[in-house]
Amino acid sequence: MLRDKVLHIKVAADSLDVLGLDDQEIEAFLDVDDDAIDQLRDGLRRVVAYGRPDARPVVVEL
């Protein structure tokens, strides 16, 4: 989810080891202008819609 210049990512529990993560939730605070947020949102939409439908994220809020 991308809201108020904060990108929230929740990773499936069974993917933590593969990704080398300890926590399912990641927050990134973005110090950028609104145009950059719009560009990021558009880019993320393309990334998560790419590939096989069964390999796409379950929930996406952009």
Side-chain angles (χ1 to χ4, degrees), residues 21 25 27-28 46 51 53:
L21 298 173
E25 296 191 31
E27 282 189 337
R46 287 192 304 270

Side-chain angles (χ1 to χ4, degrees), residues 11-62:
V11 178
D14 60 352
S15 298
L16 291 175
D17 285 339
V18 173
L19 296 171
L21 298 173
D22 296 323
D23 194 339
Q24 279 185 270
E25 296 191 31
I26 301 166
E27 282 189 337
F29 297 88
L30 308 172
D31 185 18
V32 296
D33 62 28
D34 290 339
D35 289 335
I37 293 292
D38 290 339
Q39 289 176 2
L40 175 60
R41 183 175 281 116
D42 291 342
L44 286 172
R45 282 188 182 119
R46 287 192 304 270
V47 168
V48 298
Y50 181 81
R52 299 184 332 261
D54 65 317
R56 295 181 187 154
V58 178
V59 177
V60 176
E61 291 182 42
L62 296 173

